[in-house]
Amino acid sequence: MSEIAEKYRGLISLVRELYGSGAVPLHEPRFLGNEKRYLADCIDSTFVSSVGAYVTRFEGMMREITGAQAAIATVNGTAALHMALILSDVRDGDEVITQPLSFVATCNAIAYQRAHPVFVDVERDTLSLSPQALRLFLVENAERRETGCFNRQTGRRIRAVVPMHTFGLPGRMDAISGICAEWGITLVEDAAESLGSYIGAKHTGTFGALGTFSFNGNKTVTSGGGGCIVTDDPQLAARAKHLTTTAKTPHAWDFHHDEVGYNYRLPNLNAALACAQLEQLPAFLENKRATASRYAAYCRMAGIPFMSERAGTTSNYWLNCIQADSREERDAVLAYSHAQGILARPAWVLMPQLPAFLNCYSAPLENALWLADRLISLPSSVRVDV
Ligand SMILES: *Cc1c(COP(=O)(O)O)cnc(C)c1O
């Protein structure tokens, strides 16, 4: 038997024990609650499109879950991020600091505003933006002026920092929000993967001016497609609602739009699904935590590094994740598991290695490069038998 098979056979058996026979996808949705009932109700109401009671209810549920003062539904997480950057006054030619280890949506949203992503390294323990690396980048390159924070090398304004809570593991937002405040830079959290993840008792996505969530089909809970912006600032909230709903001024019959708006509305049909799913969030989180502790216990015994939540934080364990010893080992593990129908995945190709972002500035990315070679995400769907 190959060395890889010897080292990982037990882990593959555990995946089989957890998820049964046949192909095991990385993350599939579960519809175990009121989904069909709410969808039928939504269709019966005829309000299937861009307004409706489920949108309002969804926003209320998101306020309650996150503790944010306001929640604005959007058509997907990318649109939520794009809008959050617009609301942060990110403009053509600005710079936005983000992490190289993320899903492409984070960078796409920056590019939609014709701003320049600047890549700063992540930490090995959280897989999220490193406050030390952020501070070092700013000390070496930035200066605070009356009109904001500027990059001395490029002359561009550094408008926002967008960290992301990778796989649901909470990043160090206390430190990052302190640095952003010190330098006069807006903090926007990409919390697409971290619904149900907390730092202390505070929900991820609520540490900056704005936070965004995704309800795509592969996330912890799904609305088919959907997103949400959260904020504690009533003015930003009002503006988010206005701009995402075509910038229409309220009137009984007149079609008046007071600026260029966006059709980033979440259809009521999707919101109905989201409401039914959010009702199950506590049960899903408990279920995922039980799966994570099975993986963690096995990995500890087998000497395989498993990514656990750091002390003082709660991860939603959206995707459970291990570290292989090398890129070669990672690829061998992926080949071995895929041959057996277990659809484990590597982390994303780093953003500065994608054609669209090849020419963007990167600070030293030692940890991101190291992690990208080694991370493997394991099947992590909610288990139905638990
Ligand atoms: C899922 C995700 C998004 C948003 O994705 P949508 O498919 O547009 O909802 C954004 N950022 C990250 C890191 C994600 O994982």
Side-chain angles (χ1 to χ4, degrees):
M1 196 194 302
S2 80
E3 257 173 65
I4 291 300
E6 212 167 302
K7 180 170 170 187
Y8 287 93
R9 190 178 31 161
L11 187 57
I12 297 299
S13 308
L14 175 59
V15 176
R16 282 284 168 225
E17 190 190 324
L18 295 172
Y19 290 103
S21 56
V24 184
L26 189 66
H27 203 285
E28 56 183 344
R30 302 282 187 231
F31 303 112
L32 308 169
N34 287 317
E35 286 87 352
K36 286 185 179 168
R37 201 157 74 80
Y38 292 175
L39 284 169
D41 175 61
C42 184
I43 292 166
D44 289 343
S45 79
T46 77
F47 282 86
V48 295
S49 195
S50 46
V51 290
Y54 284 108
V55 175
T56 311
R57 186 155 146 196
F58 166 71
E59 292 174 338
M61 291 178 87
M62 281 301 289
R63 279 198 304 275
E64 198 164 308
I65 291 164
T66 62
Q69 293 299 308
I72 300 92
T74 61
V75 69
N76 56 50
T78 311
L81 260 173
H82 182 207
M83 187 50 56
L85 295 177
I86 292 170
L87 295 167
S88 304
D89 194 35
V90 171
R91 298 178 187 211
D92 196 341
D94 285 344
E95 291 182 355
V96 176
I97 298 172
T98 190
Q99 60 195 62
L101 185 72
S102 187
F103 178 59
V104 69
T106 320
C107 271
N108 282 343
I110 296 167
Y112 297 163
Q113 283 308 95
R114 300 185 175 279
H116 303 271
V118 168
F119 298 107
V120 169
D121 209 2
V122 294
E123 302 175 297
R124 286 206 194 174
D125 65 339
T126 65
L127 313 180
S128 183
L129 187 69
S130 158
Q132 283 87 354
L134 175 62
R135 186 183 294 283
L136 185 65
F137 171 81
L138 292 169
V139 167
E140 288 182 345
N141 298 284
E143 74 184 359
R144 253 204 103 157
R145 299 183 200 152
E146 294 265 299
T147 47
C149 183
F150 286 80
N151 185 326
R152 294 195 307 266
Q153 323 295 332
T154 62
R156 295 175 184 139
R157 188 172 68 145
I158 303 172
R159 192 65 200 111
V161 171
V162 186
M164 195 277 285
H165 302 281
T166 306
F167 304 142
L169 297 164
R172 288 191 163 74
M173 287 310 118
D174 285 317
I176 290 171
S177 64
I179 295 167
C180 288
E182 192 183 314
W183 287 85
I185 307 172
T186 302
L187 173 59
V188 174
E189 279 174 88
D190 182 351
E193 304 183 355
S194 64
L195 185 68
S197 296
Y198 295 81
I199 299 166
K202 197 167 163 59
H203 200 288
T204 53
T206 63
F207 287 77
L210 298 138
T212 61
F213 293 88
S214 167
F215 296 86
N216 190 44
N218 62 346
K219 297 299 201 289
T220 299
V221 301
T222 186
S223 56
C228 190
I229 303 167
V230 297
T231 180
D232 286 337
D233 181 330
Q235 273 167 333
L236 285 180
R239 193 146 165 73
K241 195 67 183 172
H242 185 64
L243 278 180
T244 53
T245 57
T246 74
K248 187 179 180 300
T249 45
H251 191 278
W253 56 79
D254 228 4
F255 291 106
H256 189 261
H257 305 262
D258 60 6
E259 61 186 304
V260 175
Y262 296 79
N263 182 7
Y264 280 179
R265 297 172 292 197
L266 179 69
N268 201 39
L269 203 53
N270 297 81
L273 196 58
C275 290
Q277 287 265 289
L278 284 178
E279 288 171 352
Q280 296 162 83
L281 181 64
F284 283 4
L285 291 173
E286 198 181 320
N287 185 300
K288 291 173 79 65
R289 177 159 288 271
T291 302
S293 67
R294 293 293 304 277
Y295 277 134
Y298 175 81
C299 288
R300 202 177 311 122
M301 197 253 304
I304 298 168
F306 175 83
M307 295 301 308
S308 291
E309 65 200 5
R310 73 188 155 91
T313 70
T314 308
S315 176
N316 63 5
Y317 287 107
W318 171 52
L319 292 184
N320 292 286
C321 186
I322 57 168
Q323 289 173 16
D325 279 346
S326 63
R327 188 181 183 94
E328 293 67 42
E329 182 174 300
R330 179 200 78 175
D331 291 344
V333 172
L334 291 170
Y336 173 66
S337 68
H338 276 242
Q340 300 180 55
I342 289 167
L343 307 181
R345 296 286 295 269
W348 310 276
V349 172
L350 295 180
M351 291 306 105
Q353 294 169 349
L354 296 180
F357 307 110
L358 266 181
N359 297 320
C360 297
Y361 180 86
S362 290
L365 302 181
E366 202 186 312
N367 292 337
L369 289 160
W370 191 92
L371 288 163
D373 280 345
R374 289 167 178 79
L375 294 176
I376 300 173
S377 297
L378 301 173
S380 301
S381 310
V382 166
R383 287 182 292 139
V384 280
D385 60 326
V386 180

mmCIF file of all heavy atoms in Angstrom, residues 74-81 99 101-107 164-167 190-194 212-219 224-227 318 348, ligand 1:
data_model
loop_
_atom_site.group_PDB
_atom_site.id
_atom_site.type_symbol
_atom_site.label_atom_id
_atom_site.label_comp_id
_atom_site.label_asym_id
_atom_site.label_seq_id
_atom_site.Cartn_x
_atom_site.Cartn_y
_atom_site.Cartn_z
ATOM 1 N N THR A 74 -29.689 40.881 -0.231
ATOM 2 C CA THR A 74 -29.210 41.111 -1.603
ATOM 3 C C THR A 74 -29.290 39.796 -2.388
ATOM 4 O O THR A 74 -29.453 38.722 -1.809
ATOM 5 C CB THR A 74 -27.742 41.599 -1.643
ATOM 6 O OG1 THR A 74 -26.909 40.599 -1.056
ATOM 7 C CG2 THR A 74 -27.560 42.918 -0.920
ATOM 8 N N VAL A 75 -29.130 39.921 -3.692
ATOM 9 C CA VAL A 75 -29.334 38.776 -4.582
ATOM 10 C C VAL A 75 -28.255 37.701 -4.425
ATOM 11 O O VAL A 75 -28.498 36.532 -4.683
ATOM 12 C CB VAL A 75 -29.479 39.266 -6.041
ATOM 13 C CG1 VAL A 75 -28.158 39.814 -6.583
ATOM 14 C CG2 VAL A 75 -30.023 38.176 -6.941
ATOM 15 N N ASN A 76 -27.070 38.090 -4.011
ATOM 16 C CA ASN A 76 -26.025 37.108 -3.681
ATOM 17 C C ASN A 76 -24.945 37.793 -2.830
ATOM 18 O O ASN A 76 -25.022 39.006 -2.582
ATOM 19 C CB ASN A 76 -25.421 36.449 -4.951
ATOM 20 C CG ASN A 76 -24.864 37.462 -5.927
ATOM 21 O OD1 ASN A 76 -24.097 38.345 -5.545
ATOM 22 N ND2 ASN A 76 -25.252 37.339 -7.181
ATOM 23 N N GLY A 77 -23.972 37.019 -2.419
ATOM 24 C CA GLY A 77 -22.919 37.557 -1.557
ATOM 25 C C GLY A 77 -21.991 38.507 -2.293
ATOM 26 O O GLY A 77 -21.472 39.455 -1.707
ATOM 27 N N THR A 78 -21.765 38.252 -3.568
ATOM 28 C CA THR A 78 -20.897 39.137 -4.354
ATOM 29 C C THR A 78 -21.517 40.527 -4.459
ATOM 30 O O THR A 78 -20.827 41.541 -4.293
ATOM 31 C CB THR A 78 -20.657 38.552 -5.759
ATOM 32 O OG1 THR A 78 -20.270 37.183 -5.641
ATOM 33 C CG2 THR A 78 -19.592 39.330 -6.506
ATOM 34 N N ALA A 79 -22.822 40.571 -4.716
ATOM 35 C CA ALA A 79 -23.531 41.859 -4.797
ATOM 36 C C ALA A 79 -23.484 42.577 -3.449
ATOM 37 O O ALA A 79 -23.322 43.814 -3.393
ATOM 38 C CB ALA A 79 -24.983 41.631 -5.228
ATOM 39 N N ALA A 80 -23.597 41.809 -2.371
ATOM 40 C CA ALA A 80 -23.521 42.407 -1.024
ATOM 41 C C ALA A 80 -22.153 43.062 -0.812
ATOM 42 O O ALA A 80 -22.060 44.197 -0.326
ATOM 43 C CB ALA A 80 -23.770 41.341 0.039
ATOM 44 N N LEU A 81 -21.104 42.361 -1.228
ATOM 45 C CA LEU A 81 -19.748 42.906 -1.096
ATOM 46 C C LEU A 81 -19.551 44.135 -1.970
ATOM 47 O O LEU A 81 -18.966 45.136 -1.531
ATOM 48 C CB LEU A 81 -18.740 41.854 -1.566
ATOM 49 C CG LEU A 81 -18.018 41.022 -0.526
ATOM 50 C CD1 LEU A 81 -17.214 39.935 -1.229
ATOM 51 C CD2 LEU A 81 -17.103 41.894 0.328
ATOM 52 N N GLN A 99 -7.029 39.782 1.482
ATOM 53 C CA GLN A 99 -6.146 38.625 1.642
ATOM 54 C C GLN A 99 -6.095 37.816 0.349
ATOM 55 O O GLN A 99 -7.093 37.727 -0.370
ATOM 56 C CB GLN A 99 -6.606 37.774 2.826
ATOM 57 C CG GLN A 99 -8.005 37.222 2.710
ATOM 58 C CD GLN A 99 -8.506 36.703 4.047
ATOM 59 O OE1 GLN A 99 -8.646 37.444 5.028
ATOM 60 N NE2 GLN A 99 -8.761 35.402 4.111
ATOM 61 N N LEU A 101 -5.764 34.626 0.100
ATOM 62 C CA LEU A 101 -6.455 33.342 0.272
ATOM 63 C C LEU A 101 -7.941 33.630 0.460
ATOM 64 O O LEU A 101 -8.392 33.931 1.563
ATOM 65 C CB LEU A 101 -5.895 32.608 1.501
ATOM 66 C CG LEU A 101 -6.424 31.195 1.748
ATOM 67 C CD1 LEU A 101 -5.867 30.207 0.725
ATOM 68 C CD2 LEU A 101 -6.093 30.724 3.165
ATOM 69 N N SER A 102 -8.689 33.581 -0.640
ATOM 70 C CA SER A 102 -10.132 33.808 -0.566
ATOM 71 C C SER A 102 -10.768 33.303 -1.846
ATOM 72 O O SER A 102 -10.068 32.992 -2.817
ATOM 73 C CB SER A 102 -10.442 35.306 -0.399
ATOM 74 O OG SER A 102 -11.833 35.505 -0.177
ATOM 75 N N PHE A 103 -12.087 33.238 -1.829
ATOM 76 C CA PHE A 103 -12.833 32.970 -3.047
ATOM 77 C C PHE A 103 -12.782 34.229 -3.914
ATOM 78 O O PHE A 103 -12.709 35.345 -3.403
ATOM 79 C CB PHE A 103 -14.283 32.608 -2.680
ATOM 80 C CG PHE A 103 -15.168 32.364 -3.851
ATOM 81 C CD1 PHE A 103 -14.869 31.377 -4.779
ATOM 82 C CD2 PHE A 103 -16.310 33.127 -4.043
ATOM 83 C CE1 PHE A 103 -15.695 31.148 -5.876
ATOM 84 C CE2 PHE A 103 -17.142 32.904 -5.127
ATOM 85 C CZ PHE A 103 -16.828 31.916 -6.049
ATOM 86 N N VAL A 104 -12.831 34.049 -5.213
ATOM 87 C CA VAL A 104 -12.608 35.141 -6.168
ATOM 88 C C VAL A 104 -13.596 36.308 -6.020
ATOM 89 O O VAL A 104 -13.297 37.443 -6.416
ATOM 90 C CB VAL A 104 -12.622 34.585 -7.621
ATOM 91 C CG1 VAL A 104 -14.033 34.134 -8.026
ATOM 92 C CG2 VAL A 104 -12.061 35.589 -8.615
ATOM 93 N N ALA A 105 -14.755 36.058 -5.413
ATOM 94 C CA ALA A 105 -15.771 37.107 -5.280
ATOM 95 C C ALA A 105 -15.247 38.343 -4.548
ATOM 96 O O ALA A 105 -15.608 39.468 -4.881
ATOM 97 C CB ALA A 105 -16.996 36.560 -4.550
ATOM 98 N N THR A 106 -14.397 38.124 -3.549
ATOM 99 C CA THR A 106 -13.863 39.246 -2.767
ATOM 100 C C THR A 106 -13.135 40.216 -3.694
ATOM 101 O O THR A 106 -13.360 41.441 -3.650
ATOM 102 C CB THR A 106 -12.885 38.735 -1.680
ATOM 103 O OG1 THR A 106 -13.401 37.546 -1.100
ATOM 104 C CG2 THR A 106 -12.651 39.774 -0.621
ATOM 105 N N CYS A 107 -12.281 39.675 -4.540
ATOM 106 C CA CYS A 107 -11.503 40.511 -5.457
ATOM 107 C C CYS A 107 -12.347 41.053 -6.601
ATOM 108 O O CYS A 107 -12.136 42.183 -7.049
ATOM 109 C CB CYS A 107 -10.375 39.683 -6.055
ATOM 110 S SG CYS A 107 -8.926 39.763 -5.057
ATOM 111 N N MET A 164 -11.413 38.189 5.379
ATOM 112 C CA MET A 164 -12.421 37.153 5.148
ATOM 113 C C MET A 164 -12.210 36.038 6.166
ATOM 114 O O MET A 164 -11.065 35.652 6.417
ATOM 115 C CB MET A 164 -12.255 36.641 3.714
ATOM 116 C CG MET A 164 -13.413 35.838 3.174
ATOM 117 S SD MET A 164 -13.422 34.102 3.643
ATOM 118 C CE MET A 164 -12.130 33.430 2.600
ATOM 119 N N HIS A 165 -13.297 35.544 6.738
ATOM 120 C CA HIS A 165 -13.219 34.485 7.757
ATOM 121 C C HIS A 165 -13.220 33.127 7.055
ATOM 122 O O HIS A 165 -14.280 32.536 6.825
ATOM 123 C CB HIS A 165 -14.382 34.601 8.734
ATOM 124 C CG HIS A 165 -14.449 35.930 9.419
ATOM 125 N ND1 HIS A 165 -13.639 36.246 10.482
ATOM 126 C CD2 HIS A 165 -15.188 37.043 9.163
ATOM 127 C CE1 HIS A 165 -13.905 37.481 10.876
ATOM 128 N NE2 HIS A 165 -14.830 37.986 10.094
ATOM 129 N N THR A 166 -12.020 32.650 6.743
ATOM 130 C CA THR A 166 -11.869 31.494 5.869
ATOM 131 C C THR A 166 -12.460 30.207 6.458
ATOM 132 O O THR A 166 -12.101 29.825 7.573
ATOM 133 C CB THR A 166 -10.380 31.299 5.553
ATOM 134 O OG1 THR A 166 -9.868 32.539 5.039
ATOM 135 C CG2 THR A 166 -10.166 30.204 4.516
ATOM 136 N N PHE A 167 -13.313 29.588 5.690
ATOM 137 C CA PHE A 167 -13.980 28.317 6.046
ATOM 138 C C PHE A 167 -14.787 28.427 7.336
ATOM 139 O O PHE A 167 -15.140 27.411 7.932
ATOM 140 C CB PHE A 167 -12.961 27.164 6.164
ATOM 141 C CG PHE A 167 -12.120 26.955 4.930
ATOM 142 C CD1 PHE A 167 -10.775 26.605 5.031
ATOM 143 C CD2 PHE A 167 -12.661 27.109 3.652
ATOM 144 C CE1 PHE A 167 -9.994 26.395 3.894
ATOM 145 C CE2 PHE A 167 -11.890 26.915 2.513
ATOM 146 C CZ PHE A 167 -10.555 26.556 2.632
ATOM 147 N N ASP A 190 -15.773 40.368 4.887
ATOM 148 C CA ASP A 190 -16.402 39.363 4.040
ATOM 149 C C ASP A 190 -16.682 38.151 4.931
ATOM 150 O O ASP A 190 -15.799 37.326 5.171
ATOM 151 C CB ASP A 190 -15.484 38.993 2.864
ATOM 152 C CG ASP A 190 -16.129 37.978 1.931
ATOM 153 O OD1 ASP A 190 -17.195 37.431 2.281
ATOM 154 O OD2 ASP A 190 -15.561 37.720 0.844
ATOM 155 N N ALA A 191 -17.912 38.112 5.437
ATOM 156 C CA ALA A 191 -18.323 37.030 6.344
ATOM 157 C C ALA A 191 -19.162 35.985 5.596
ATOM 158 O O ALA A 191 -19.971 35.279 6.198
ATOM 159 C CB ALA A 191 -19.093 37.619 7.529
ATOM 160 N N ALA A 192 -18.922 35.887 4.281
ATOM 161 C CA ALA A 192 -19.704 34.976 3.431
ATOM 162 C C ALA A 192 -19.705 33.546 3.977
ATOM 163 O O ALA A 192 -20.698 32.839 3.854
ATOM 164 C CB ALA A 192 -19.144 34.976 2.013
ATOM 165 N N GLU A 193 -18.582 33.156 4.577
ATOM 166 C CA GLU A 193 -18.426 31.755 4.992
ATOM 167 C C GLU A 193 -18.672 31.565 6.488
ATOM 168 O O GLU A 193 -18.567 30.443 6.980
ATOM 169 C CB GLU A 193 -16.994 31.297 4.636
ATOM 170 C CG GLU A 193 -16.707 31.487 3.154
ATOM 171 C CD GLU A 193 -15.341 31.002 2.703
ATOM 172 O OE1 GLU A 193 -14.528 30.593 3.548
ATOM 173 O OE2 GLU A 193 -15.099 31.037 1.476
ATOM 174 N N SER A 194 -18.970 32.646 7.201
ATOM 175 C CA SER A 194 -18.911 32.562 8.666
ATOM 176 C C SER A 194 -20.225 32.880 9.377
ATOM 177 O O SER A 194 -20.203 33.354 10.512
ATOM 178 C CB SER A 194 -17.774 33.446 9.190
ATOM 179 O OG SER A 194 -18.017 34.797 8.902
ATOM 180 N N THR A 212 -20.675 41.360 5.179
ATOM 181 C CA THR A 212 -21.518 40.751 4.142
ATOM 182 C C THR A 212 -21.545 39.228 4.288
ATOM 183 O O THR A 212 -20.559 38.611 4.701
ATOM 184 C CB THR A 212 -21.001 41.109 2.736
ATOM 185 O OG1 THR A 212 -19.679 40.598 2.572
ATOM 186 C CG2 THR A 212 -20.983 42.610 2.517
ATOM 187 N N PHE A 213 -22.683 38.657 3.911
ATOM 188 C CA PHE A 213 -22.904 37.212 4.013
ATOM 189 C C PHE A 213 -23.372 36.666 2.669
ATOM 190 O O PHE A 213 -23.896 37.402 1.835
ATOM 191 C CB PHE A 213 -23.968 36.917 5.075
ATOM 192 C CG PHE A 213 -23.506 37.254 6.465
ATOM 193 C CD1 PHE A 213 -23.695 38.541 6.982
ATOM 194 C CD2 PHE A 213 -22.851 36.319 7.239
ATOM 195 C CE1 PHE A 213 -23.249 38.869 8.253
ATOM 196 C CE2 PHE A 213 -22.397 36.639 8.514
ATOM 197 C CZ PHE A 213 -22.594 37.908 9.019
ATOM 198 N N SER A 214 -23.178 35.352 2.498
ATOM 199 C CA SER A 214 -23.648 34.674 1.286
ATOM 200 C C SER A 214 -24.557 33.512 1.657
ATOM 201 O O SER A 214 -24.323 32.832 2.661
ATOM 202 C CB SER A 214 -22.455 34.146 0.485
ATOM 203 O OG SER A 214 -22.901 33.243 -0.514
ATOM 204 N N PHE A 215 -25.570 33.286 0.823
ATOM 205 C CA PHE A 215 -26.481 32.157 1.012
ATOM 206 C C PHE A 215 -26.484 31.289 -0.228
ATOM 207 O O PHE A 215 -27.486 30.697 -0.607
ATOM 208 C CB PHE A 215 -27.885 32.679 1.374
ATOM 209 C CG PHE A 215 -27.872 33.406 2.685
ATOM 210 C CD1 PHE A 215 -27.549 34.762 2.729
ATOM 211 C CD2 PHE A 215 -28.102 32.736 3.867
ATOM 212 C CE1 PHE A 215 -27.483 35.439 3.940
ATOM 213 C CE2 PHE A 215 -28.032 33.393 5.079
ATOM 214 C CZ PHE A 215 -27.723 34.745 5.118
ATOM 215 N N ASN A 216 -25.315 31.204 -0.855
ATOM 216 C CA ASN A 216 -25.128 30.334 -2.014
ATOM 217 C C ASN A 216 -25.368 28.868 -1.615
ATOM 218 O O ASN A 216 -25.338 28.532 -0.440
ATOM 219 C CB ASN A 216 -23.695 30.539 -2.543
ATOM 220 C CG ASN A 216 -23.489 29.855 -3.875
ATOM 221 O OD1 ASN A 216 -24.352 29.942 -4.760
ATOM 222 N ND2 ASN A 216 -22.383 29.165 -4.040
ATOM 223 N N GLY A 217 -25.563 28.025 -2.600
ATOM 224 C CA GLY A 217 -25.926 26.630 -2.348
ATOM 225 C C GLY A 217 -24.932 25.829 -1.546
ATOM 226 O O GLY A 217 -25.289 24.819 -0.939
ATOM 227 N N ASN A 218 -23.670 26.245 -1.532
ATOM 228 C CA ASN A 218 -22.645 25.472 -0.816
ATOM 229 C C ASN A 218 -22.382 26.002 0.585
ATOM 230 O O ASN A 218 -21.553 25.453 1.303
ATOM 231 C CB ASN A 218 -21.330 25.468 -1.619
ATOM 232 C CG ASN A 218 -20.751 26.861 -1.796
ATOM 233 O OD1 ASN A 218 -21.429 27.857 -1.562
ATOM 234 N ND2 ASN A 218 -19.497 26.941 -2.195
ATOM 235 N N LYS A 219 -23.060 27.076 0.993
ATOM 236 C CA LYS A 219 -22.781 27.660 2.301
ATOM 237 C C LYS A 219 -23.543 26.919 3.415
ATOM 238 O O LYS A 219 -24.312 26.009 3.140
ATOM 239 C CB LYS A 219 -23.151 29.151 2.282
ATOM 240 C CG LYS A 219 -22.314 29.988 1.284
ATOM 241 C CD LYS A 219 -20.828 29.966 1.601
ATOM 242 C CE LYS A 219 -20.040 31.111 1.002
ATOM 243 N NZ LYS A 219 -19.839 31.103 -0.440
ATOM 244 N N GLY A 224 -30.670 29.249 -2.186
ATOM 245 C CA GLY A 224 -30.470 29.033 -3.618
ATOM 246 C C GLY A 224 -29.362 29.967 -4.056
ATOM 247 O O GLY A 224 -28.253 29.558 -4.370
ATOM 248 N N GLY A 225 -29.652 31.240 -4.075
ATOM 249 C CA GLY A 225 -28.660 32.309 -4.183
ATOM 250 C C GLY A 225 -29.149 33.417 -3.283
ATOM 251 O O GLY A 225 -30.363 33.617 -3.159
ATOM 252 N N GLY A 226 -28.247 34.105 -2.650
ATOM 253 C CA GLY A 226 -28.687 35.200 -1.784
ATOM 254 C C GLY A 226 -27.514 35.783 -1.033
ATOM 255 O O GLY A 226 -26.439 35.175 -0.966
ATOM 256 N N GLY A 227 -27.737 36.963 -0.505
ATOM 257 C CA GLY A 227 -26.696 37.612 0.274
ATOM 258 C C GLY A 227 -27.313 38.570 1.263
ATOM 259 O O GLY A 227 -28.545 38.759 1.282
ATOM 260 N N TRP A 318 -17.870 25.542 8.787
ATOM 261 C CA TRP A 318 -18.491 25.403 7.460
ATOM 262 C C TRP A 318 -17.772 24.309 6.671
ATOM 263 O O TRP A 318 -18.393 23.349 6.241
ATOM 264 C CB TRP A 318 -18.442 26.734 6.695
ATOM 265 C CG TRP A 318 -18.867 26.590 5.278
ATOM 266 C CD1 TRP A 318 -20.025 26.008 4.829
ATOM 267 C CD2 TRP A 318 -18.163 27.024 4.109
ATOM 268 N NE1 TRP A 318 -20.068 26.049 3.450
ATOM 269 C CE2 TRP A 318 -18.951 26.655 2.997
ATOM 270 C CE3 TRP A 318 -16.945 27.684 3.901
ATOM 271 C CZ2 TRP A 318 -18.545 26.943 1.689
ATOM 272 C CZ3 TRP A 318 -16.556 27.970 2.608
ATOM 273 C CH2 TRP A 318 -17.352 27.602 1.515
ATOM 274 N N TRP A 348 -8.417 27.613 -2.519
ATOM 275 C CA TRP A 348 -8.450 28.309 -3.804
ATOM 276 C C TRP A 348 -7.030 28.598 -4.311
ATOM 277 O O TRP A 348 -6.095 28.735 -3.513
ATOM 278 C CB TRP A 348 -9.169 29.651 -3.675
ATOM 279 C CG TRP A 348 -10.483 29.539 -2.995
ATOM 280 C CD1 TRP A 348 -11.691 29.202 -3.573
ATOM 281 C CD2 TRP A 348 -10.760 29.756 -1.600
ATOM 282 N NE1 TRP A 348 -12.667 29.189 -2.617
ATOM 283 C CE2 TRP A 348 -12.132 29.522 -1.396
ATOM 284 C CE3 TRP A 348 -9.980 30.108 -0.501
ATOM 285 C CZ2 TRP A 348 -12.752 29.651 -0.155
ATOM 286 C CZ3 TRP A 348 -10.585 30.224 0.732
ATOM 287 C CH2 TRP A 348 -11.951 29.998 0.890
HETATM 288 C C1 LIG B 1 -19.405 32.424 -1.213
HETATM 289 C C2 LIG B 1 -18.488 33.566 -1.060
HETATM 290 C C3 LIG B 1 -18.840 34.868 -1.487
HETATM 291 C C4 LIG B 1 -20.122 35.247 -2.148
HETATM 292 O O1 LIG B 1 -20.545 34.373 -3.079
HETATM 293 P P1 LIG B 1 -21.952 34.429 -3.843
HETATM 294 O O2 LIG B 1 -21.891 33.152 -4.604
HETATM 295 O O3 LIG B 1 -21.946 35.634 -4.697
HETATM 296 O O4 LIG B 1 -23.074 34.436 -2.867
HETATM 297 C C5 LIG B 1 -17.941 35.889 -1.245
HETATM 298 N N1 LIG B 1 -16.780 35.674 -0.628
HETATM 299 C C6 LIG B 1 -16.422 34.451 -0.187
HETATM 300 C C7 LIG B 1 -15.128 34.300 0.522
HETATM 301 C C8 LIG B 1 -17.242 33.357 -0.404
HETATM 302 O O5 LIG B 1 -16.866 32.150 0.024
#
